[in-house]
Amino acid sequence: MRTRRYAWIPAVALLLPCALPARADYFNAVFSRDGLDVIAVGDSGIVYRSVNGGNHWTSGRLGSKPLRDVVARGWTAVVVGDSGKVWRTADAG
């Protein structure tokens, strides 16, 4: 079992409901490298990203099935979803 440390989640979690559009039904995972660069994934393939701690968000889609997890290390980010697909970027998305 993998253990993650999310010391930054309380501040980011408070920003998510008011800063993100209400289009996505649910968010399934949120990840941040440093509390400023934040990636949130959820139902219907939705991906949100903020590079300034949640002050501004951009959105995109990776297919139409729910996305379940996101993790990043360095410049590489990986997103996995219900469709059995794994998306990977080596240049921070």
Side-chain angles (χ1 to χ4, degrees), residues 2-43:
R2 143 180 105 175
T3 303
R4 295 185 187 176
R5 295 183 187 174
Y6 293 115
W8 51 268
I9 281 186
V12 172
L14 292 174
L15 293 174
L16 286 176
C18 61
L20 296 177
R23 288 192 311 235
D25 294 329
Y26 298 99
F27 291 103
N28 298 321
V30 178
F31 184 85
S32 178
R33 302 171 218 272
D34 56 8
L36 294 175
D37 187 4
V38 183
I39 304 168
V41 297
D43 289 348

Side-chain angles (χ1 to χ4, degrees), residues 40-90:
V41 297
D43 289 348
S44 302
I46 196 75
V47 178
Y48 283 96
R49 182 165 185 205
S50 174
V51 293
N52 57 10
N55 291 322
H56 182 275
W57 293 88
T58 57
S59 66
R61 288 199 182 271
L62 295 175
S64 61
K65 305 269 182 173
L67 301 175
R68 296 295 175 189
D69 204 2
V70 58
V71 67
R73 177 178 280 174
W75 292 101
T76 302
V78 177
V79 174
V80 295
D82 277 359
S83 62
K85 291 184 179 179
V86 176
W87 289 269
R88 178 181 173 265
T89 178

